[in-house]
Amino acid sequence: MIERLVAPENDFQPVRTRERAGNLTVGVAIPTFNQGVLLDRTLASMVSQTRSPDHIVVADDGSTEDIAAIVNRYAGSLPISYVRQEFEGRGAGPARNLAASLCDTDVYLFCDSDCAADPEFVEAHMFWHERASNLVVAGSRLHVDSTDITPEQITAGNPLSQLTHTPVDDGAETEDWRRWVGRRAKNFTIGDTAYRATLSSNLSVGAGPFDEVGGFLDIYTEWGGEDTELGWRLWNSGCFIVPDQRAIVYHQIQDDPPYDATRQASRNRTRALMADRIPHRFYRVRPTPVATVPKLSWIIPVASPDSLTMAFERVATDAFADAELVLVGPEAAVDAGKSLDKHSRRVKVVVGSSTSAVAEAITRSDGEFVALRDPRITVNPRLVTKAVQILDDDPRIAAVRVAYRVANGPTFRTTHDLDTVDGAAGWEGLPLLAVVRKREIMKDRRSLDSTSPLWPNLFDRINVRFLINDHAELPSSLNIDLKSRYPRLGDVAKAGPREVVRAVTRSVGKIRKQGSSAPAVGRTRSNDNVVGIDYIGYTGAGNLGDEAMLVAVRQLLPWADVQRDHPNPAVIMVGGGTLINGKGYYLTRVLRRDSPRLEKVVFGTGVRSPGYWGSTEDVTAWAQFFDAALYTGVRGPLSQAHLADFGYNAPVDVLGDPALSLPRPDVARVPGRVVVCPVWTSGNLHGGDDNVVFDGLAGTIRRLRAAGHEVVMMSAFNQDDRYIIDLMRRANAADMPYVPAHLEVSDALDLIASADLVIAERLHAGILAAAMGTPFIPIEYRPKTRDFAQSVGVEDLIVRTDDFGALDERVDAVLNAPGIWTSTVATAVEAFRIHQASVASRLHIQLSNPDPQPWLEDRA
């Protein structure tokens, strides 16, 4: 028995490492209407498969050509059958169903008659099906002109792969679409768009799931749509969509009709039909009560005729109208509604009081979302509308739950308490109220048959948004024997920062207007077409470097609204700072904020050295983010090399630190001024002893002051003050000027621009010095300093903290001949500034397009 895959979102990757669990049979279903010459090549391609199909069925949809004669020529080399149905204008869907019904195999593999298959076509599809039973595999399609290729040549080898692949403008969502949307969705492993990748010209599905959802519909009589709609039903039934670039077909385009106004009009009519049958917001932009397939399915258990009446009243007063009602209960309770099951399009009735009845009710529901509701509770009529909006806005959230409040009693705001109340008072363990993506329930069929343990396990497995400030009111008659408790940390994490802020402000009497609990994500714009960018970095913590990088990014991208935790972003940007291999802190933030509807950009980020820090987090997750990114640029050459050390070998640009783009303020040099910017690491540095560094700095400060230099202490972090005071005491210079530059980036720029030299232990003291054209000594306390110093050509000036005796020699060398070093740095900085401006301009162009494409510009 091949097990089902149960995993978050559309993450099919775990299947890759599963052992092959069965030897399934596969049938290739090929519909055709005329096109005999193209079909001949397609059948020839089946002869040379590395894994032979167990059956091939050609379904002739009433051709005027002699298709049977072509099929019969392959009877000796292929297990092939021919079947004909008279042409009735019902489209290709019924022909595919007919072919599949005659395959009599475990897996149906659909291929169009004008699509010749790569030799590994069958093998690539079956790799997946023999490891999980609920997969739909969508292969790749390349467009070629096969006019000069004969069937005999195809049988003997694979000449089609040598042909030039020709882009085709057919108005459809072809693999070009799949490339850029799939990139943002990490090869379709996250989010809710993968169902749109199903193309019937190269698609495989288990016979069980295909038959369960009813196969292709016969309502799509015009061009296209039937494969996407089938993909939706399979997706909603708990299947995973697997895009496999190895499963290739070569679409023979030479006989394709032109894509003209008539075909576009046909497609528009099909699009309206798809919106009627696919409630996902890509097709149905706004909910509507007149669509055939509802957006939401109410699942309401009823125990008596009175609760049946109550169920109808609850639904009738709710504000969300694009819904169906599925009633489940014993015959005596649902008898009055049974006639509606036969005659009402949006009411279903399931008779029974066991877990299997609940499972049947959920399985029979058609909505994208399932609203589980006990008729005894009351809720705000707009609460479910709010929940649907949250799920629509963020495809990575799979369920919405609310607090429970007992009339004249306690309020329950922890997930543990909600699960306890559901188990005690819910009908067969059903949640009293929850809105869930149906497909998440349908993935785990084994648990679905034992309802009570399903729900806590489900809510632990999926991403849940917990609205701790909204509640469902329970009747006091339920006698819930629990005390009200404040939310725990886990509940706060599920609620999100806005819900927590609302909870806190409400608790002190400052009730604010209720808003969305989650940021709306997507390719949205604020005023004046400004692009919203959600910036990931160590901002808001009093760190000069991180604030300077954010200022620089905002200046480089004046067309964008760049902010941390942006409420309505179109882009998620991993900004400057040494964020990668950072013990999971930034990676967790990225994964929490990421969405397949967001473009992704890596802009000058540093990578922690694996040689110094070890491997501190799952770099595989970063690699998936880089692969999905529109642009990936790191701070320096060592960051680029570290990614290769981690096994990431895709192209990565060296963008330089964003702060290098900051302009020099109009301030005069102060002759003889030296700025010192130290850092205390509590022993976490080369050599392991901060005292050695501070004693060395103190000696240099004394020597410089004795020589007539003005030495100014500068802090770059809000916790550096006390260590700077200690350094001043060690230098016997308590009267030294001190600038808390972490408070204002402009103060740091003014000070550094005025100096003759910066002794920079803090990384960004050196980076800002380079940007200001001020000579500097980079003190390498950790490898990130060398990453930057290499990028601007001053590696020879580095003083390591475990070899600190070289500091005075470096200081004298720079003060005596500053032009040598400033010239080298200025050349590198100017090159980075030009490159950063170019990347920023390219980002603007790409993000202004509906079909952005990743790129990489190599730098010499």
Side-chain angles (χ1 to χ4, degrees):
M1 180 89 179
I2 299 177
E3 294 184 356
R4 293 175 65 83
L5 173 64
V6 180
E9 300 180 69
N10 192 50
D11 188 5
F12 54 84
Q13 299 290 359
V15 177
R16 291 185 185 274
T17 58
R18 284 187 180 183
E19 293 293 326
R20 183 181 178 191
N23 186 21
L24 302 182
T25 57
V26 54
V28 180
I30 305 175
T32 189
F33 178 71
N34 294 324
Q35 294 190 315
V37 174
L38 304 181
L39 174 65
D40 200 354
R41 296 190 188 92
T42 297
L43 295 179
S45 71
M46 295 296 164
V47 176
S48 56
Q49 290 295 304
T50 57
R51 172 170 176 168
S52 299
D54 297 279
H55 197 182
I56 299 173
V57 178
V58 177
D60 184 353
D61 192 23
S63 297
T64 57
E65 299 177 15
D66 189 358
I67 299 298
I70 298 171
V71 173
N72 289 337
R73 288 208 303 269
Y74 289 90
S77 54
L78 292 172
I80 193 165
S81 300
Y82 169 81
V83 62
R84 177 185 173 87
Q85 65 181 17
E86 293 307 314
F87 180 75
E88 297 177 351
R90 293 189 299 157
R96 293 191 182 98
N97 289 341
L98 176 61
S101 68
L102 297 176
C103 280
D104 193 26
T105 52
D106 300 312
V107 175
Y108 303 145
L109 175 49
F110 296 97
C111 179
D112 282 357
S113 60
D114 61 356
C115 292
D118 185 83
E120 295 184 0
F121 171 67
V122 175
E123 180 182 349
H125 276 273
M126 293 307 294
F127 170 87
W128 298 97
H129 293 293
E130 291 181 338
R131 287 163 174 79
S133 62
N134 57 329
L135 304 183
V136 178
V137 182
S140 177
R141 183 176 65 179
L142 301 176
H143 305 287
V144 299
D145 185 335
S146 65
T147 303
D148 297 329
I149 305 294
T150 66
E152 291 73 22
Q153 288 175 307
I154 294 174
T155 301
N158 184 28
L160 294 171
S161 65
Q162 307 304 316
L163 297 177
T164 300
H165 304 153
T166 306
V168 174
D169 180 14
D170 61 0
E173 296 159 357
T174 61
E175 52 279 328
D176 292 334
W177 169 88
R178 292 194 290 178
R179 273 197 291 273
W180 70 267
V181 174
R183 170 181 56 79
R184 294 193 316 196
K186 298 179 181 176
N187 197 27
F188 290 111
T189 56
I190 65 172
D192 62 351
T193 58
Y195 76 93
R196 292 171 52 204
T198 52
L199 296 174
S200 54
S201 59
N202 189 352
L203 184 73
S204 64
V205 58
F210 182 83
D211 294 340
E212 179 185 76
V213 302
F216 291 95
L217 297 184
D218 62 3
I219 61 175
Y220 292 90
T221 58
E222 300 196 64
W223 186 68
E226 77 281 355
D227 44 9
T228 305
E229 194 273 341
L230 172 66
W232 170 257
R233 283 180 285 127
L234 289 166
W235 170 266
N236 211 34
S237 72
C239 287
F240 289 74
I241 312 297
V242 180
D244 192 336
Q245 298 300 314
R246 298 177 307 139
I248 301 171
V249 296
Y250 300 94
H251 174 216
Q252 305 169 73
I253 63 173
Q254 59 266 28
D255 293 337
D256 278 4
Y259 188 79
D260 54 16
T262 300
R263 201 170 184 187
Q264 180 60 50
S266 174
R267 180 166 180 79
N268 290 342
R269 291 189 291 271
T270 297
R271 182 67 179 252
L273 188 56
M274 293 169 74
D276 178 69
R277 296 295 179 130
I278 303 176
H280 186 272
R281 77 170 188 175
F282 180 82
Y283 290 101
R284 189 180 304 168
V285 178
R286 297 178 184 82
T288 172
V290 300
T292 300
V293 175
K295 179 81 170 178
L296 178 80
S297 295
W298 292 99
I299 307 289
I300 301 185
V302 294
S304 66
D306 288 343
S307 60
L308 177 68
T309 302
M310 191 180 298
F312 279 106
E313 291 174 350
R314 299 296 194 219
V315 173
T317 58
D318 195 88
F320 193 79
D322 191 356
E324 68 174 356
L325 173 59
V326 184
L327 299 163
V328 57
E331 180 141 12
V334 300
D335 183 66
K338 285 170 64 177
S339 61
L340 293 172
D341 188 49
K342 296 181 180 180
H343 304 294
S344 174
R345 180 167 52 86
R346 289 208 169 191
V347 177
K348 298 184 176 77
V349 177
V350 176
V351 179
S353 56
S354 64
T355 56
S356 61
V358 174
E360 181 184 350
I362 294 171
T363 303
R364 285 189 60 191
S365 67
D366 292 323
E368 179 181 4
F369 308 131
V370 167
L372 304 151
R373 178 175 179 175
D374 191 295
R376 295 170 294 178
I377 67 169
T378 57
V379 297
N380 185 309
R382 299 198 60 82
L383 178 58
V384 171
T385 300
K386 177 181 178 180
V388 170
Q389 186 67 50
I390 289 170
L391 294 170
D392 256 349
D393 284 345
D394 190 341
R396 306 203 66 186
I397 296 174
V400 175
R401 304 185 75 183
V402 302
Y404 293 162
R405 184 172 72 185
V406 178
N408 302 315
T411 299
F412 307 113
R413 290 193 178 91
T414 75
T415 54
H416 176 269
D417 287 350
L418 264 60
D419 291 341
T420 302
V421 172
D422 290 339
W427 192 83
E428 290 294 329
L430 278 173
L432 297 177
L433 182 68
V435 182
V436 188
R437 294 187 190 274
K438 179 190 172 182
R439 75 178 306 263
E440 293 297 337
I441 306 172
M442 298 299 292
K443 287 177 183 177
D444 191 359
R445 300 293 182 88
R446 184 180 300 175
S447 296
L448 184 59
D449 291 332
S450 54
T451 308
S452 294
L454 165 67
W455 304 106
N457 292 341
L458 173 70
F459 293 139
D460 284 343
R461 172 170 61 83
I462 63 178
N463 187 8
V464 179
R465 176 70 69 192
F466 188 17
L467 305 183
I468 55 178
N469 294 294
D470 295 285
H471 68 271
E473 185 157 319
L474 283 56
S476 57
S477 59
L478 289 181
N479 295 320
I480 304 299
D481 188 21
L482 289 173
K483 293 182 179 180
S484 178
R485 290 186 285 187
Y486 287 105
R488 300 172 180 177
L489 287 177
D491 304 305
V492 169
K494 291 179 179 180
R498 292 190 174 193
E499 283 289 309
V500 174
V501 169
R502 285 182 55 224
V504 171
T505 55
R506 178 169 291 179
S507 69
V508 296
K510 298 179 180 178
I511 304 176
R512 298 180 178 179
K513 184 177 180 181
Q514 183 167 301
S516 172
S517 63
V521 297
R523 293 189 56 75
T524 53
R525 305 287 190 271
S526 53
N527 293 336
D528 300 323
N529 227 25
V530 173
V531 179
I533 295 182
D534 190 0
Y535 184 86
I536 304 294
Y538 190 58
T539 56
N543 187 298
L544 169 64
D546 292 279
E547 300 305 326
M549 287 184 287
L550 180 57
V551 170
V553 168
R554 286 171 170 163
Q555 291 180 4
L556 282 164
L557 313 178
W559 40 266
D561 177 21
V562 184
Q563 55 178 291
R564 176 173 173 165
D565 295 330
H566 197 292
N568 190 28
V571 180
I572 181 171
M573 174 181 283
V574 179
T578 316
L579 311 186
I580 299 167
N581 193 31
K583 299 183 179 180
Y585 176 77
Y586 296 102
L587 178 59
T588 299
R589 282 189 60 196
V590 167
L591 295 179
R592 184 183 300 128
R593 299 291 295 178
D594 192 16
S595 164
R597 295 177 186 164
L598 295 178
E599 282 295 352
K600 299 143 188 39
V601 172
V602 181
F603 202 80
T605 310
V607 182
R608 282 189 173 191
S609 165
Y612 183 88
W613 295 98
S615 179
T616 69
E617 61 190 10
D618 181 11
V619 181
T620 302
W622 277 117
Q624 291 176 345
F625 186 87
F626 301 151
D627 288 341
L630 196 60
Y631 169 79
T632 299
V634 294
R635 178 172 59 211
L638 289 183
S639 289
Q640 188 182 49
H642 294 333
L643 289 181
D645 292 339
F646 284 121
Y648 187 73
N649 296 313
V652 173
D653 192 22
V654 176
L655 179 70
D657 192 285
L660 290 174
S661 69
L662 290 172
R664 188 184 188 279
D666 186 17
V667 298
R669 295 277 185 193
V670 176
R673 175 174 286 178
V674 176
V675 174
V676 178
C677 186
V679 57
W680 185 270
T681 72
S682 299
N684 193 352
L685 77 170
H686 290 309
D689 192 346
D690 290 284
N691 286 300
V692 171
V693 178
F694 270 45
D695 287 342
L697 285 172
T700 299
I701 290 169
R702 287 193 297 269
R703 189 174 69 88
L704 288 169
R705 282 166 59 90
H709 289 279
E710 178 195 26
V711 181
V712 181
M713 301 301 297
M714 185 183 87
S715 68
F717 186 55
N718 59 16
Q719 295 180 20
D720 286 350
D721 295 12
R722 57 178 175 155
Y723 301 113
I724 286 176
I725 292 171
D726 176 49
L727 178 56
M728 293 163 66
R729 184 168 55 248
R730 295 186 192 212
N732 299 320
D735 60 338
M736 285 173 59
Y738 161 59
V739 176
H742 62 272
L743 296 176
E744 288 289 344
V745 173
S746 59
D747 290 347
L749 299 182
D750 288 345
L751 175 63
I752 291 171
S754 71
D756 279 344
L757 175 68
V758 174
I759 300 175
E761 187 178 11
R762 280 283 182 191
L763 173 62
H764 271 85
I767 292 173
L768 295 179
M772 299 301 102
T774 300
F776 65 97
I777 306 296
I779 297 178
E780 184 188 355
Y781 71 103
R782 292 174 189 158
K784 63 181 180 180
T785 303
R786 188 171 297 270
D787 187 26
F788 165 66
Q790 277 191 6
S791 75
V792 294
V794 292
E795 188 175 10
D796 290 345
L797 284 179
I798 289 175
V799 177
R800 276 179 58 120
T801 53
D802 56 356
D803 185 21
F804 214 61
L807 177 61
D808 285 343
E809 176 188 343
R810 299 283 197 279
V811 168
D812 290 343
V814 173
L815 287 176
N816 291 332
I820 298 174
W821 305 107
T822 54
S823 175
T824 299
V825 173
T827 300
V829 169
E830 181 61 20
F832 275 127
R833 286 179 168 175
I834 293 171
H835 185 50
Q836 289 173 1
S838 173
V839 170
S841 176
R842 187 72 174 269
L843 283 173
H844 190 201
I845 293 171
Q846 289 294 327
L847 292 169
S848 299
N849 292 333
D851 182 9
Q853 300 294 331
W855 84 95
L856 182 65
E857 295 175 356
D858 293 328
R859 299 185 68 223

